[in-house]
Amino acid sequence: MNATPEKPAAAKKAVTKTAAAKKTVTKKSTAATEQAPAKKTAARKTAPAKQATAKKATAKKTAKTAAGQAPAKKAAARKPESRVAMVRRARRINRELAELYPYAHPELDFTNPFELLVATVLSAQTTDLRVNQTTPRLFAVCPTPEDMAAMPPEKLEELIRPTGFFRAKTKSLIGLSAALRDRFGGEVPGRLEDLVTLPGVGRKTANVVLGNAFGVPGITVDTHFGRLARRFGWTTAEDAEKVEADVAEIFPKSEWTMLSHRVVFHGRRVCHSRKPACGACAIAPLCPAYGEGETDPEKAKKLLKYELGGQPGQRLKPPADYPGQPAPPMAPPVAAS
């Protein structure tokens, strides 16, 4: 009789425990549910902040990397060339130019040292073509230093007027002719130290005469030679004497005269001052200044001058091996009507 009433009590206790457990679970679930949105919201709030921080960090890293890499790339682009490498490249350029211009020569017409000296003085601030068109009449009237020294200045001025700066050039020509007559027996001296004592004669003119009339090696630094020597990286100097000294240290003395002709030829025909024909240049792979001019081959080809451009050269009487056309003589002046 006693056992029967106890069973419901135990069951009641079990139900109570189960209900309590369910209540606890429900409370925990509710708490978890209530906390979840809060955590989610916090996570949502934190995410943009973290992303912004990450973006800033990435931006800083990128900027830092870029800042670190840019100078490196710049430095690589401007990496200095060793002296040995520059000399090797320079001598290779000379060999390439020798193949390109096997006919390179002085572009002034002359038959003796005096004519070359006079023509070189006249070539200042004008073209060799204009000088070559002017000297036939000049040398027909005064073929020797004695004749030129005795020439009335106003008559000499008229003869050389086409070359420009004719008054200053007249003074130089009469002065150097008188010096040749009085100090050198009417002969052009074959030494640099003597030539530079003549009126109107500097190192450039002296080297032209020595190299081409006497076979004495010399580097002729005119505007073309100086421009290309700087573009080729042989020198950074602007002063002609410094350019001459820098280039003389690179090449053997035996090459100086022909090197001058080749570089000047290339400067006049391809590597022009304002519009270099880079795309038509045979030595472009060796030139640090490639890209300063026109790089398109077809457009560059149109910039070529003289024989490379199918045009006459500068000499009225070019050497026998010259591949281009002789220049035309000066047109006679039009008579006044």
Side-chain angles (χ1 to χ4, degrees):
M1 294 287 295
N2 291 335
T4 307
E6 287 178 1
K7 282 184 181 178
K12 198 173 184 179
K13 277 185 181 180
V15 171
T16 305
K17 281 183 181 179
T18 305
K22 283 183 180 178
K23 195 174 183 181
T24 305
V25 171
T26 305
K27 281 183 180 179
K28 284 182 179 179
S29 299
T30 305
T33 306
E34 287 175 354
Q35 286 175 1
K39 283 183 180 178
K40 203 171 184 182
T41 305
R44 283 177 184 170
K45 286 182 180 178
T46 307
K50 282 184 179 179
Q51 286 174 2
T53 306
K55 281 182 181 178
K56 283 183 182 178
T58 306
K60 282 182 182 178
K61 192 175 180 181
T62 305
K64 193 175 180 181
T65 305
Q69 287 177 351
K73 286 182 180 178
K74 208 169 184 181
R78 295 184 181 180
K79 187 177 180 181
E81 185 179 35
S82 71
R83 173 73 182 177
V84 173
M86 185 274 288
V87 171
R88 285 176 179 169
R89 182 174 57 78
R91 293 183 178 184
R92 187 177 170 191
I93 287 175
N94 184 36
R95 292 193 298 271
E96 295 283 341
L97 291 178
E99 290 184 13
L100 185 61
Y101 306 112
Y103 51 87
H105 59 272
E107 295 191 88
L108 290 168
D109 287 327
F110 69 97
T111 59
N112 57 57
F114 177 64
E115 289 185 358
L116 179 57
L117 177 61
V118 170
T120 307
V121 170
L122 290 175
S123 69
Q125 305 297 318
T126 191
T127 64
D128 286 356
L129 171 59
R130 181 60 68 190
V131 174
N132 293 335
Q133 291 173 329
T134 302
T135 50
R137 288 178 60 213
L138 174 64
F139 294 141
V141 175
C142 44
T144 68
E146 291 81 3
D147 295 325
M148 193 166 288
M151 177 75 66
E154 54 279 2
K155 187 174 181 181
L156 187 56
E157 286 177 4
E158 285 305 311
L159 286 169
I160 68 169
R161 183 183 288 269
T163 66
F165 300 94
F166 55 90
R167 290 191 179 88
K169 290 178 181 178
T170 293
K171 186 177 179 181
S172 293
L173 291 182
I174 291 177
L176 72 84
S177 296
L180 292 176
R181 178 195 62 196
D182 300 339
R183 293 196 281 122
F184 298 101
E187 299 292 332
V188 176
R191 299 194 314 163
L192 179 68
E193 51 268 38
D194 293 330
L195 283 168
V196 294
T197 66
L198 301 173
V201 178
R203 289 186 66 90
K204 184 195 87 168
T205 298
N207 281 327
V208 170
V209 174
L210 289 173
N212 298 286
F214 294 99
V216 178
I219 295 173
T220 304
V221 183
D222 65 357
T223 55
H224 302 289
F225 191 97
R227 178 177 72 253
L228 268 65
R230 286 184 287 274
R231 283 180 177 171
F232 291 159
W234 299 350
T235 183
T236 57
E238 294 286 340
D239 177 73
E241 288 192 29
K242 185 65 171 66
V243 172
E244 180 185 342
D246 288 345
V247 175
E249 291 180 356
I250 300 172
F251 298 93
K253 196 172 183 178
S254 59
E255 287 290 314
W256 289 357
T257 299
M258 288 310 300
L259 171 73
S260 299
H261 291 323
R262 293 164 190 154
V263 172
V264 171
F265 256 55
H266 196 62
R268 286 175 172 167
R269 287 152 178 75
V270 180
C271 195
H272 312 134
S273 177
R274 293 184 182 177
K275 289 186 177 181
C278 294
C281 180
I283 58 169
L286 299 171
C287 182
Y290 175 78
E292 285 188 14
E294 180 57 66
T295 56
D296 180 82
E298 291 304 315
K299 291 180 180 178
K301 193 175 179 180
K302 295 177 182 178
L303 299 174
L304 300 178
K305 293 183 179 179
Y306 302 114
E307 71 280 354
L308 295 186
Q311 303 158 2
Q314 297 200 79
R315 292 189 66 167
L316 277 64
K317 298 177 181 178
D321 62 346
Y322 179 67
Q325 308 167 46
M330 189 181 295
V334 179
S337 55

